[in-house]
Amino acid sequence: MDYKPTKFMLSSSHYDKAKADRAVTFISNLKHTKGKWAGQPFELLPWQEQIVRDVFGVVDERGKRQFRSAYVEISKKNGKSELAAAVALYLLYADGEASAEVYGAACDRQQASIVFDVAKQMVEMSEPLMKRSKIMAATKRIVNYTNAGFYQVLSAETGTKHGLNVSGLIFDEIHAQPNRKLYDVLTKGSGDAREQPLFFIITTAGTDKNSICYELHSKAKDILNGRKADPSFYPVVYGLEETDDWTDEKNWYKANPSLGHTIGIDRVREAYKNALDNPAEENVFKQLRLNIWTNSTVCWIPDHIYDKGNIPINLELLKGRQCYGGLDLSSTSDITAFVLVFPPRNENENYIVYPHFWLPEDTLELRCRRDHVLYDVWKRQGYINTTEGNVIHYGFIEKYIENLGKLYNIKEIAVDRWNATQMIQNLEDLGFKMIPFGQGYKDMSPPSKELYKLLMEGKITHGGNPVLKWMAGNVVMRQDPAGNIKPDKEKSTEKIDGIVAAIMALDRCVRNAGNTGSVYDSRGILWL
């Protein structure tokens, strides 16, 4: 490959081609263990060779490795287990470390054994390595007699891991770690007696954004984007960005650099079709095939359903039209959402959803860093408004709604009564008809099902508002034994205020259709 050294080199570091060539040559003399490649020499793919050359070839002024930790996040079936096994064997046999101690760790011993078993097969297929080795399959241990070193799989219990003298660590699927204890024990001080220990961490994206894996993921992204610097940390993240269209096949290659080599495009297409047919499979596809961090629960509104409403809205044509509002105040320090829904005037028109959002100005930057959400970008684009101070200024919102009332004929505003008594009174004083709206199954279930039905039929136009789309992807529904549903703010790990407001506004819209009573009364409640 046409190698270019990493941009994360220190000014005092340099690329030692001989060291990099040594690692590449060693791995090239190993053999693949799986599929159609089994038994063939391990020829590194370009993305794999880049990692190997960077990790083993970039050295400090002492000639020792610059990178202490390598974080490699990539979709499944791209050959990361084979690469990790090859790195483990290099650390055991060719790294020049006396009494090398290489450990394999994961969420449990069975997971950690996956990389070990690949390494074991590689050794068994290499006569030179077998001559100097002893493989103890039962205890998951490979001993290298020439340097008195070993590669050992660890169990997940942290209590017995203190005191290890780690020269190399292969940490597999760290996204599945229930907490950070094992990671801390194996990386904090465990390699201090070694001159150049290497912690090689491989994983796919996860679902828990309060995990050690997401912490490492965020650090890697910050380094890659120039927001942070850590010369000892080598970041690799192959995955789709939030702005990428996950349904576009061209984008799949961003998360799968081995696509067409270790993984066939037909397999990914098949998984994609399953994701479209079954919302429960969508998150699985995004996480495992596209390396997108997803919620652990199944989202209520899949992207391909929501995106049917990505039709531009001409706000000029809405002036003077009847509409209904939904107001979700949340807390004074959180997102407040106000959504207008314009009913169709004939059977050829869609319901039009026009959302508005507010956050406190002073906490916006903190929220971006803490939540890893694009609030600042959305503000610049005009999709989020901010009010002065570190809490929501309700007076500002009241004035904003008053001005909207001068543009549009707002017939009613549905609002959750919780913590909204004063604002309800103030808006009523401004001439708005305020409708208290419960958040239980009785009030929320019929319009929630109606919203999903209209989205499915393509009868909702929302203009592709990115904040509302983000919230739609966060919604998780709670269901009672009778089949009634309501948005679950506890299970919905991110904000859903805009969808809640849209559901309330749609309810008033539907109930006042033609002023002849409720559509729910005439045709019954939909069951989805």
Side-chain angles (χ1 to χ4, degrees):
M1 62 176 286
D2 184 17
Y3 172 76
K4 294 181 180 179
T6 177
K7 63 179 179 180
F8 306 113
M9 289 175 60
L10 288 171
S11 58
S12 59
S13 300
H14 69 279
Y15 172 64
D16 188 325
K17 185 176 182 299
K19 289 183 181 293
D21 286 347
R22 176 179 170 82
V24 170
T25 301
F26 175 88
I27 293 173
S28 299
N29 280 288
L30 300 173
K31 292 181 179 178
H32 282 285
T33 65
K34 297 177 181 177
K36 64 179 182 179
W37 306 99
Q40 296 185 30
F42 193 158
E43 292 185 11
L44 291 163
L45 294 172
W47 72 270
Q48 294 172 322
E49 186 170 343
Q50 180 77 40
I51 292 173
V52 171
R53 288 191 175 276
D54 283 346
V55 169
F56 293 103
V58 176
V59 297
D60 60 22
E61 65 276 7
R62 301 175 302 128
K64 303 300 181 183
R65 280 193 292 271
Q66 174 185 311
F67 300 111
R68 183 186 182 99
S69 298
Y71 177 80
V72 180
E73 185 182 297
I74 192 169
S75 304
K76 63 180 290 189
K77 302 301 181 184
N78 277 273
K80 66 177 181 295
S81 294
E82 300 265 323
L83 177 62
V87 168
L89 294 180
Y90 182 82
L91 293 171
L92 175 59
Y93 290 100
D95 200 33
E97 187 74 33
S99 300
E101 293 184 25
V102 182
Y103 293 96
C107 60
D108 55 44
R109 197 163 184 267
Q110 182 178 0
Q111 179 66 46
S113 296
I114 292 175
V115 174
F116 174 87
D117 289 342
V118 174
K120 168 179 167 292
Q121 287 181 263
M122 287 178 170
V123 172
E124 290 172 337
M125 289 191 289
S126 170
E127 186 176 345
L129 293 184
M130 276 299 293
K131 285 182 178 179
R132 54 174 127 161
S133 307
K134 180 178 182 180
I135 297 176
M136 291 168 273
T139 56
K140 302 296 180 182
R141 188 180 184 95
I142 300 173
V143 176
N144 173 16
Y145 288 122
T146 57
N147 68 1
F150 60 82
Y151 171 24
Q152 175 70 59
V153 170
L154 298 172
S155 59
E157 293 76 27
T158 60
T160 61
K161 309 302 179 301
H162 294 279
L164 298 179
N165 189 9
V166 179
S167 61
L169 171 67
I170 307 297
F171 210 131
D172 191 18
E173 299 296 11
I174 197 171
H175 76 85
Q177 285 296 305
N179 52 57
R180 61 177 303 134
K181 290 181 181 178
L182 184 60
Y183 172 81
D184 285 344
V185 167
L186 294 177
T187 61
K188 309 298 185 193
S190 64
D192 287 354
R194 303 287 185 172
E195 286 196 291
Q196 50 177 6
L198 177 64
F199 308 129
F200 196 78
I201 303 159
I202 57 170
T203 189
T204 53
T207 59
D208 182 4
K209 292 189 177 181
N210 296 308
S211 63
I212 177 59
C213 186
Y214 194 73
E215 179 183 320
L216 294 171
H217 165 87
S218 300
K219 180 177 181 177
K221 293 291 287 185
D222 284 343
I223 293 173
L224 288 167
N225 293 322
R227 293 189 293 265
K228 288 183 180 178
D230 182 346
S232 69
F233 189 93
Y234 180 71
V236 178
V237 178
Y238 283 99
L240 269 62
E241 302 290 342
E242 290 185 10
T243 54
D244 291 331
D245 180 2
W246 71 277
T247 66
D248 186 344
E249 189 171 301
K250 293 193 296 293
N251 286 331
W252 298 352
Y253 289 85
K254 296 176 65 175
N256 297 276
S258 298
L259 197 55
H261 298 277
T262 63
I263 178 174
I265 188 67
D266 290 344
R267 293 290 182 88
V268 185
R269 287 172 181 156
E270 182 181 345
Y272 170 67
K273 184 177 183 301
N274 291 336
L276 291 182
D277 294 340
N278 181 1
E281 292 291 329
E282 182 177 320
N283 274 1
V284 175
F285 178 80
K286 288 180 176 178
Q287 178 196 352
L288 299 183
R289 297 291 190 176
L290 301 182
N291 205 49
I292 298 173
W293 280 78
T294 63
N295 293 328
S296 57
T297 45
V298 178
C299 68
W300 178 51
I301 305 174
D303 282 355
H304 69 284
I305 298 297
Y306 181 84
D307 288 345
K308 292 182 179 183
N310 285 353
I311 302 167
I313 298 172
N314 188 331
L315 295 178
E316 285 295 317
L317 296 181
L318 293 179
K319 288 182 177 178
R321 276 185 56 176
Q322 289 188 4
C323 58
Y324 297 82
L327 179 61
D328 189 342
L329 290 177
S330 296
S331 68
T332 57
S333 61
D334 218 333
I335 295 177
T336 287
F338 180 64
V339 176
L340 292 175
V341 175
F342 295 78
R345 295 167 297 185
N346 56 63
E347 62 182 15
N348 295 320
E349 287 189 342
N350 284 358
Y351 287 85
I352 296 175
V353 176
Y354 182 29
H356 306 265
F357 302 99
W358 294 269
L359 274 171
E361 174 69 37
D362 291 355
T363 62
L364 190 70
E365 184 179 343
L366 172 64
R367 284 176 172 277
C368 293
R369 294 197 309 267
R370 184 191 67 193
D371 302 342
H372 305 282
V373 177
L374 305 174
Y375 297 124
D376 54 345
V377 175
W378 291 334
K379 180 192 174 185
R380 291 196 299 271
Q381 293 173 339
Y383 294 114
I384 280 183
N385 307 291
T386 55
T387 67
E388 291 184 357
N390 59 6
V391 296
I392 287 289
H393 191 299
Y394 286 157
F396 180 91
I397 295 175
E398 291 165 7
K399 183 65 176 177
Y400 190 102
I401 293 175
E402 180 185 10
N403 289 332
L404 286 176
K406 296 175 183 178
L407 294 174
Y408 314 110
N409 183 7
I410 303 176
K411 305 295 289 182
E412 296 178 357
I413 297 176
V415 60
D416 179 7
R417 289 161 290 193
W418 184 257
N419 285 336
T421 305
Q422 186 59 52
M423 194 168 189
I424 290 174
Q425 183 63 55
N426 293 343
L427 288 172
E428 285 180 339
D429 291 345
L430 290 171
F432 293 102
K433 183 178 180 180
M434 306 300 292
I435 307 295
F437 200 96
Q439 302 297 295
Y441 291 111
K442 176 179 176 293
D443 288 332
M444 294 299 291
S445 186
S448 295
K449 292 180 177 181
E450 184 72 11
L451 177 64
Y452 193 85
K453 169 184 174 290
L454 292 170
L455 284 167
M456 285 277 291
E457 294 174 344
K459 292 183 178 179
I460 293 278
T461 295
H462 48 66
N465 182 288
V467 185
L468 193 66
K469 177 173 181 175
W470 170 65
M471 291 180 173
N474 295 333
V475 177
V476 174
M477 282 293 180
R478 178 178 292 180
Q479 183 170 337
D480 70 6
N484 297 306
I485 62 173
K486 66 175 183 177
D488 190 332
K489 287 194 174 184
E490 292 180 3
K491 289 186 178 179
S492 303
T493 55
E494 298 282 2
K495 304 304 177 186
I496 63 172
D497 312 80
I499 297 299
V500 172
I503 290 170
M504 293 194 291
L506 179 64
D507 179 88
R508 304 317 304 165
C509 203
V510 170
R511 288 184 185 278
N512 287 283
N515 293 316
T516 58
S518 169
V519 68
Y520 309 135
D521 298 331
S522 62
R523 65 132 203 263
I525 296 174
L526 288 170
W527 298 92
L528 298 178

